[in-house]
Amino acid sequence: MTPETRASRAARAMWEGDEASKWLGMKIISVTEGCAELSLTVERHHANGHGICHGGITFALADSAFAFACNSRNQSTVAQMNAITYLAPAHVGDTLTAHAREVSLSGRSGIYDVTVTSQAGTKVVEFRGHSRAIRGQLFEEE
């Protein structure tokens, strides 16, 4: 199986059970080995008391992109630690895209950087996720 096929199948298997990302309105743009892109259009129900996108929503988008990137090899993997820096506000109507990429993978531990940008190209968030592989796979390989 090619890395591209494996990543695609892993993404489909994860998406099938990922009710949180679907409920929030996320969409998968692409998943390749060690990388993922997800998007979300900011709706009124994503806004906080300041009328801007709630930080938890942008964190969730970055975290989901991180999850799809670190599970792209069909090895069940979870978050070990995440850190986020908010750079600019996002507003209702903005379309945010999270670009996740693998920085390091050694044994069971990985590091992934995620940049969330607006449709205008403005950097909204920088996120770093540390992953840990656990037992299991997302789908059975032959």
Side-chain angles (χ1 to χ4, degrees):
M1 180 177 310
T2 67
E4 293 80 15
T5 300
R6 182 174 289 108
S8 178
R9 287 189 63 188
R12 280 195 310 271
M14 274 190 53
W15 188 254
E16 187 175 301
D18 188 347
E19 298 305 320
S21 295
K22 288 185 245 182
W23 181 75
L24 286 167
M26 294 180 204
K27 296 178 180 161
I28 297 174
I29 297 171
S30 67
V31 179
T32 58
E33 187 176 78
C35 297
E37 265 190 356
L38 274 68
S39 70
L40 168 100
T41 299
V42 180
E43 304 288 341
R44 286 190 61 216
H45 63 271
H46 294 129
N48 63 18
H50 296 290
I52 58 176
C53 186
H54 191 288
I57 300 299
T58 51
F59 186 99
L61 177 60
D63 186 46
S64 289
F66 159 64
F68 280 91
C70 67
N71 279 276
S72 63
R73 290 183 176 84
N74 194 30
Q75 170 64 54
S76 293
T77 305
V78 297
Q80 186 174 38
M81 195 271 306
N82 297 317
I84 192 165
T85 302
Y86 298 98
L87 304 171
H91 302 278
V92 173
D94 284 348
T95 298
L96 303 178
T97 303
H99 308 269
R101 67 176 184 83
E102 189 174 84
V103 174
S104 174
L105 183 61
S106 179
R108 294 175 48 209
S109 298
I111 300 173
Y112 296 78
D113 282 344
V114 184
T115 301
V116 177
T117 58
S118 71
Q119 72 280 357
T122 303
K123 285 185 181 180
V124 175
V125 160
E126 288 289 349
F127 171 106
R128 176 159 275 194
H130 295 251
S131 68
R132 187 76 172 164
I134 59 174
R135 287 190 181 127
Q137 294 180 312
L138 299 162
F139 65 92
E140 191 172 324
E141 292 193 47
E142 300 171 7

